[in-house]
Amino acid sequence: MSENTLSSRPVDRQGEAPSPAAGAPMALAGVRILDFTRLGFGAQATLICGCLGAEVIRVESTTRPDPIRVMPPYVPEPGSHGEGFGAATLANATSAASPNRGGIFYKYNTGGKRSITVDARHPKGLALLRDLVSVSDVVTESFAAGTLERWGLGYPEQVKARPDVLYVSMCGFGHEGPDTAHVTMGPTAQALTGLTFMVGLPDRPPAGWSFSYLDHVGGYLGAVAVLAGLAHRARTGEGQHIDVSQLEPATALSGALFFDALVNGRPSRRPGFPTGNRRPASAPGGAYRAAGEDRWVVISCRTDDQWRSLLTVMGDPPWGADPRFSTFGARQQHAEELDVLIEQWTSQGDRYETMDALQRAGVPAGAVQDAADRLERDPQLAARRHFTMLGNDEVAPLPLEGMPVHMAGTPVHTGGRLHRGPPVLGQDTDAVLTELLGMKPSEVEALRAEGVLS
Amino acid sequence: MTGAVRAEGAPTGPGRGAGTPLDGVRVVELVDESAEYCGRMLAGLGADVVKVEPPDGAPSRRQGPFLDDVPGPDRSLAFWADNVGKRSVVVPEGPDGDGAVRALVEAADVLVHTLRPDAAARRGLDYERLGPALPRLVVCAVTPFGQSGPWADFEADDLVLMALGGSMAACGYGPGPDGYDTPPLAAHGEQAWRTASTYAAIAVLAALWWRDVGEEGRGQFVDVSAHECSASMTEWHCMTYLCSGSVFRRGAHPTLTAADGRQVAALNPDFLGPHVFANMLAMLEDEGVAGPLSDPAFADPGYRAGHYGEVWRAMKRLAAANDGERLYRLGQGAGLPWGVIRSPEEVAGDTHLQARGHFVELDHPELGRTVRYPGAPFLAHGSPWRMDRRPPLLGEHTAQVAGEWGVTW
C-alpha cells in the first residue's frame, strides 16, 4: 500500500466511537476520586482510572486554570477545519481566551472526568472540599509538596473527613526527602534518571526525548498506586498516603544497563555509547532510509531465520553469502557495512511497502510513524479503535487517546463511565454539589454569588 | 476452583507478602522478554509470581550482558533487571509441560502470557478453554499487536514498536543544512515493552479489583497490544497534529555544558509565569553572570523573546563556571526545573533517592555477594513494596511451588 493511496483515503472515523457492550460493567465502577491533578503527570494517572470506570472529579479554579487548558496548541473552533483534521490551521490562536481550547488538555483528560470549580482559599470552599473528601474513596493531586497542607487539606485533614481515605500525591521529587522543593518537568526527571542519556548516537551529546515520557510513566505508576492502595484498603480497611515521585518510576527503565555498570564495572558513560539504534539482540537492526523526505523503516533481525528471510525479500543479493555476515556475531561486528548495504535497498522503496513485504516473510519491521501516520494511516490502530471521537460543549469531536488496553469482561472506555469527552471548565459543579452533597440549587447559587465556586 | 485452592492451600511462606496489596495472589507468568516487567511489578506489590520456564530457561536468560561477561542462565543481567522478586519453575517441553502449566494455572489467580492466539490454543491456554473452567482466573495476553486487526500476526520487537508507536520519529538530532542527516532514534531500555508491561500490570490490578470487590466475582481476559501502548506515550504529538495540521519533527533539547563536561537540561519555562525569569535573574546576578539581563527591559516577556540569545549566553556563562551537579542545584535553587543528565547508573548516587530508601541491596548467596537494585516505584508506608528476593535461579522453586500450591505433574 503506497502512502499516497493511503493518504488519499484517510481512515474513516464516522460512527467509530466504540460502543461498549450495552450495560457492560466497568472495572472501577463505584470508585470515586477527588482529583486535584494538573498538567500531564498526575492527570495521566486519573485518566487511566477514569477509563477503567472510576468517577473522577477534577477540582479546578477559574482564576488559576490548569496551564494545559490555556496553552497552545489550540483545538480549532467547530467547523474551522476542512477535510480531515490535518487541514486545521493555527488561525484561531485567540483561543487562549477560553480555558477549554488548550490541546494538551485533551490528551490528558479523557476518561470521562468531571470538572468542578471551587476556590480552595475561601473558607466555604475549603469546607466544601472537605465534604467532598468525606464522600470520596481517593484524593489525588500533583501540586508542589506542602500545597494541600497550606490549604488546610493535607492528609491529616483528609483523614478527619474520611478515616480510610486513600491519598495519592504525585509530585516531581515526592513529599519526603531532602530535595522535595526541587521542581521537575518530564525532561528534568528524564535527565536525572538516565532516560535522556539513553537516546543518542555514539560520541555525541545525548539527543534525549523531545517529549515528557516520564509524565506518562509517572502517571502509570500513579494509577498503580491508586489500584494498590484500593486493594490494600479492601483487605485491611486502612487508607494511607502514597507518595509518588517522577524519579522512582524511572530507575528500573534502564534494564540491564544499570547492572552492567554496577556489577561489571562497565560505565554507560564510555566511548561508543549509547549506540544509537544498535542493540545487543538485533543484527542487523536499526532505522533505514526509505523513499521520500525523511522517511524511515526499522528492521530488526533477532534470529538467523529472520536474517535469511530478509535476504530473500531483498532478492538474495550476492553479498548475502559474505563471511562478514555469516553469523549473528559477525553481523554485529560488521553492522556498519551491513547497514549501508541494507539502506541501498530500503531507500528505493516506500516505508510501508517495505514493512509489509518483510512482515509477510516473518521479519520484524515497521515504518517510523509520526502522529499523522498514527491518526490517518495506521490500519492496526484504526482496526483496534485506538482513537475515540469525543468532544464537549465547546469543542467538536476529536479522535482522542485513552487507556490502550482491551478488557473483555469490564470494557475500558476513553469516555469513562459517562462516555463523554474532556470536561468544559466547571461544567459539573452544580451536578456534583447537588448529587453528592445533597445541596439545593438555591444553595449552590448562593455559594456562586459569594465567589466560592470560582 | 482457583479461589478454593487459594483459600485452603498453604500460605506463600512465613510472613511473605504480609501487608502488601497482593498478598496471597498467585500469578503464573509464561512470557518472553517483552512482558517480564509486568511480573516484576506484581511481585513488588506482593503477589507470588511464578515464572514458568522451559528446561533451557526463559529467552532473557540467554540475553547479555552477563555477570563478568560469562554467559549462563543465572548470570544474565537483563534477566536480573526484570525478574527480581519472582520464583522459577521449570516444566518439560511438550504435552507433559502443557499439563504442568495447566495445573499451575488452575491453582492461580492470574495468568500473564505472551502467546499468540494459535500458540495459546495449541497449549490449551486459550481463554475459550480456560475461561469456562476457571471463571475466577484473570488471563492477560501481552502481544506485539493484540489479538485482532490486520497486523495481528506481524512480528515486532521493542525497536519496531518504538518506530510504529511514534516516539522514535520524535527523538533524535535536528536537521543539518541539507536536512536530516541522522536517523530517528529509539531509547535504550526497551521502553515500548516496559510501557506495555506496565499497562498489563494496571489491567491485572483492575481485573482483580473487579473480581474481588466488584459485583460479579469473575475473572476475565485482558488483551494488551504493545503497539497500542507504545502509540500512547508521545504526550502532545497527536493533539498538535489535530490542532495545527503540522507534525512534530525531532530535534534535541538544548543543553548547557558545564565546566566538567557534563550536560544539564536547562528548561526555562517562561509559560509558567513571570516569576520564572525573575528567579533566574536573581540567581544569575548572585553568581555574577547576569550581564545585560539586569536591564529592566528583559522583564518584559516580549522583549525577552526577541533577545533570547542574551538569556542563553548568560546561562552558558553560568555553566562554564560550575560543574554539572552544582549547575543543577543552582537552577533548582532558583525554582527552575533543571536536571543534570546522568547515566542510568549515576542515579544510584542520588542523595534524595537514597534518603527515600529507594535502592535495595539483595543477597545473591550463590555468588557470595549482594547486588543493588532499583526498588519501590513509590513510597507506600501502609503497604510497603516487597523487595526481598533476588531473581530466581533456573528452576530454583520447582519442588517448592509444587508443594505449596498442591500441584503435581
Side-chain angles (χ1 to χ4, degrees):
Chain A
M1 28 181 190
S2 88
E3 201 170 307
N4 284 340
T5 318
L6 284 166
S7 49
S8 66
R9 283 191 288 116
V11 173
D12 176 19
R13 301 195 184 283
Q14 288 304 310
E16 208 183 285
S19 42
M26 299 182 81
L28 296 189
V31 172
R32 184 175 296 139
I33 300 175
L34 195 64
D35 182 23
F36 294 86
T37 63
R38 333 178 301 155
L39 298 168
F41 168 25
Q44 168 75 63
T46 53
L47 177 168
I48 289 170
C49 297
C51 291
L52 287 165
E55 178 184 7
V56 179
I57 303 170
R58 282 178 60 91
V59 180
E60 305 197 67
S61 161
T62 57
T63 54
R64 297 176 185 81
D66 185 343
I68 60 176
R69 276 191 174 276
V70 292
M71 271 166 57
Y74 300 116
V75 177
E77 307 281 342
S80 74
H81 47 75
E83 297 296 312
F85 288 95
T89 70
L90 273 173
N92 60 331
T94 53
S95 291
S98 164
N100 303 312
R101 284 287 160 73
I104 303 172
F105 180 77
Y106 288 79
K107 161 67 182 173
Y108 286 115
N109 289 286
T110 51
K113 296 182 189 181
R114 307 176 94 179
S115 169
I116 65 172
T117 53
V118 179
D119 181 0
R121 289 162 175 82
H122 192 294
K124 289 186 179 175
L126 180 62
L128 270 186
L129 292 175
R130 287 176 174 164
D131 288 346
L132 285 169
V133 171
S134 74
V135 295
S136 298
D137 301 282
V138 185
V139 173
T140 51
E141 59 105 349
S142 61
F143 289 109
T147 302
L148 253 57
E149 282 83 351
R150 280 197 300 279
W151 290 0
L153 208 58
Y155 180 56
E157 298 298 324
Q158 295 172 32
V159 168
K160 283 182 202 157
R162 167 124 189 179
D164 65 349
V165 68
L166 171 62
Y167 168 43
V168 176
S169 61
M170 290 167 272
C171 161
F173 275 67
H175 286 208
E176 286 183 34
D179 295 338
T180 49
H182 284 198
V183 289
T184 63
M185 300 175 66
T188 315
Q190 285 150 211
L192 291 168
T193 55
L195 264 300
T196 302
F197 185 88
M198 291 193 292
V199 189
L201 289 168
D203 311 318
R204 293 179 63 153
W209 302 68
S210 63
F211 55 92
S212 293
Y213 174 50
L214 286 187
D215 278 8
H216 292 289
V217 177
Y220 306 153
L221 269 298
V224 170
V226 169
L227 289 159
L230 286 171
H232 180 74
R233 193 192 69 177
R235 285 159 180 264
T236 63
E238 294 167 3
Q240 62 179 309
H241 171 200
I242 301 185
D243 175 10
V244 186
S245 84
Q246 210 168 3
L247 303 177
E248 280 128 339
T251 54
L253 296 178
S254 54
L257 295 177
F258 180 89
F259 297 96
D260 200 21
L262 292 191
V263 177
N264 282 340
R266 182 180 291 123
S268 306
R269 198 180 290 280
R270 65 178 188 263
F273 196 87
T275 55
N277 293 321
R278 295 225 172 89
R279 296 176 172 202
S282 301
Y288 302 91
R289 267 189 201 279
E293 195 200 331
D294 195 34
R295 294 303 189 194
W296 302 79
V297 61
V298 158
I299 301 169
S300 183
C301 292
R302 297 169 72 89
T303 66
D304 287 340
D305 280 350
Q306 291 167 353
W307 158 247
R308 282 189 289 271
S309 298
L310 169 66
L311 290 175
T312 304
V313 175
M314 291 177 71
D316 285 317
W319 48 260
D322 192 311
R324 286 176 302 165
F325 311 134
S326 59
T327 65
F328 186 90
R331 290 192 292 279
Q332 282 221 314
Q333 198 183 334
H334 301 285
E336 232 161 281
E337 300 130 273
L338 181 54
D339 284 351
V340 170
L341 293 165
I342 292 172
E343 194 160 274
Q344 283 170 2
W345 175 69
T346 58
S347 59
Q348 306 303 310
D350 172 83
R351 56 191 168 137
Y352 286 107
E353 286 176 0
T354 301
M355 170 187 168
D356 275 355
L358 290 172
Q359 286 285 2
R360 275 197 297 274
V363 180
V368 174
Q369 297 199 108
D370 59 27
D373 297 325
R374 277 178 281 157
L375 281 157
E376 295 179 346
R377 298 189 182 89
D378 184 320
Q380 182 68 9
L381 292 179
R384 303 271 295 178
R385 299 185 168 191
H386 180 75
F387 299 99
T388 303
M389 297 296 292
L390 292 167
N392 59 32
D393 285 350
E394 214 178 295
V395 166
L398 294 156
L400 297 181
E401 301 169 78
M403 176 180 174
V405 168
H406 302 257
M407 298 179 69
T410 54
V412 172
H413 195 280
T414 301
R417 59 190 271 282
L418 302 174
H419 296 186
R420 66 174 215 192
V424 163
L425 180 63
Q427 79 174 72
D428 302 298
T429 306
D430 293 68
V432 166
L433 297 185
T434 53
E435 285 169 25
L436 302 189
L437 299 184
M439 295 176 69
K440 298 192 187 86
S442 58
E443 293 172 310
V444 176
E445 274 317 308
L447 287 175
R448 184 167 282 126
E450 281 185 78
V452 175
L453 306 181
S454 62
Chain B
M1 209 185 314
T2 53
V5 170
R6 182 162 68 98
E8 295 160 18
T12 53
R16 290 199 76 84
T20 60
L22 297 185
D23 181 18
V25 170
R26 290 172 172 177
V27 179
V28 171
E29 172 183 291
L30 191 65
V31 304
D32 60 25
E33 308 95 311
S34 65
E36 288 180 324
Y37 194 61
C38 171
R40 181 194 196 275
M41 208 167 275
L42 297 175
L45 291 167
D48 182 11
V49 179
V50 168
K51 185 175 190 67
V52 177
E53 305 188 65
D56 61 344
S60 52
R61 291 189 184 270
R62 293 182 285 282
Q63 181 60 59
F66 298 96
L67 173 64
D68 301 328
D69 294 327
V70 178
D74 301 323
R75 306 180 68 88
S76 160
L77 304 183
F79 182 86
W80 288 11
D82 291 339
N83 291 283
V84 62
K86 302 175 188 174
R87 299 202 281 180
S88 165
V89 166
V90 164
V91 302
E93 308 246 42
D96 288 353
D98 292 343
V101 173
R102 170 70 189 227
L104 286 163
V105 168
E106 285 178 5
D109 300 278
V110 179
L111 167 64
V112 180
H113 70 71
T114 51
L115 303 170
R116 304 294 182 99
D118 54 339
R122 265 200 313 279
R123 302 188 66 171
L125 296 174
D126 48 313
Y127 193 72
E128 288 67 29
R129 229 170 307 180
L130 291 179
L134 304 167
R136 290 177 53 81
L137 183 69
V138 173
V139 178
C140 180
V142 185
T143 53
F145 295 99
Q147 305 285 307
S148 62
W151 292 354
D153 295 328
F154 281 10
E155 299 283 344
D157 65 358
D158 180 77
L159 192 64
V160 170
L161 294 166
M162 293 291 276
L164 289 168
S167 63
M168 202 167 168
C171 290
Y173 301 98
D178 301 318
Y180 281 97
D181 52 6
T182 56
L185 296 176
H188 283 250
E190 291 85 28
Q191 304 307 324
W193 282 351
R194 285 181 204 286
T195 294
S197 292
T198 305
Y199 269 119
I202 291 170
V204 166
L205 283 165
L208 287 172
W209 170 266
W210 172 252
R211 187 194 74 171
D212 294 340
V213 184
E215 290 166 28
E216 293 192 25
R218 294 180 65 88
Q220 61 176 302
F221 180 71
V222 178
D223 170 13
V224 177
S225 151
H227 172 47
E228 278 194 80
C229 296
S230 175
S232 303
M233 67 189 201
T234 62
E235 214 187 358
W236 37 270
H237 292 175
C238 284
M239 288 311 308
T240 294
Y241 179 66
L242 293 172
C243 294
S244 71
S246 61
V247 167
F248 180 82
R249 306 292 298 276
R250 66 189 183 278
H253 280 299
T255 55
L256 295 173
T257 302
D260 60 355
R262 301 283 296 278
Q263 264 93 30
V264 173
L267 282 78
N268 185 10
D270 257 2
F271 67 86
L272 291 180
H275 64 283
V276 173
F277 178 75
N279 291 345
M280 180 166 75
L281 179 60
M283 181 265 289
L284 294 171
E285 286 177 338
D286 284 350
E287 296 295 312
V289 294
L293 265 55
S294 297
D295 182 339
F298 275 93
D300 172 48
Y303 183 85
R304 207 155 61 232
H307 297 78
Y308 196 73
E310 286 296 344
V311 177
W312 189 245
R313 273 188 285 279
M315 291 163 71
K316 284 174 80 167
R317 285 193 292 275
L318 182 75
N322 292 283
D323 69 24
E325 287 284 340
R326 178 153 198 272
L327 186 58
Y328 152 52
R329 290 186 178 272
L330 279 172
Q332 287 287 351
L336 297 164
W338 290 8
V340 61
I341 296 177
R342 295 174 176 149
S343 69
E345 68 274 16
E346 285 165 359
V347 69
D350 186 281
T351 49
H352 180 71
L353 289 179
Q354 288 170 353
R356 285 166 68 86
H358 179 62
F359 297 100
V360 178
E361 299 281 339
L362 292 182
D363 193 18
H364 284 237
E366 72 290 348
L367 301 175
R369 63 176 294 179
T370 62
V371 174
R372 181 177 304 173
Y373 285 79
F378 44 67
L379 289 183
H381 294 305
S383 54
W385 195 257
R386 194 175 108 189
M387 195 74 192
D388 57 357
R389 178 147 62 194
R390 59 129 171 78
L393 308 179
L394 177 59
E396 182 177 0
H397 307 98
T398 305
Q400 188 187 67
V401 170
E404 286 180 14
W405 286 24
V407 172
T408 52
W409 63 82

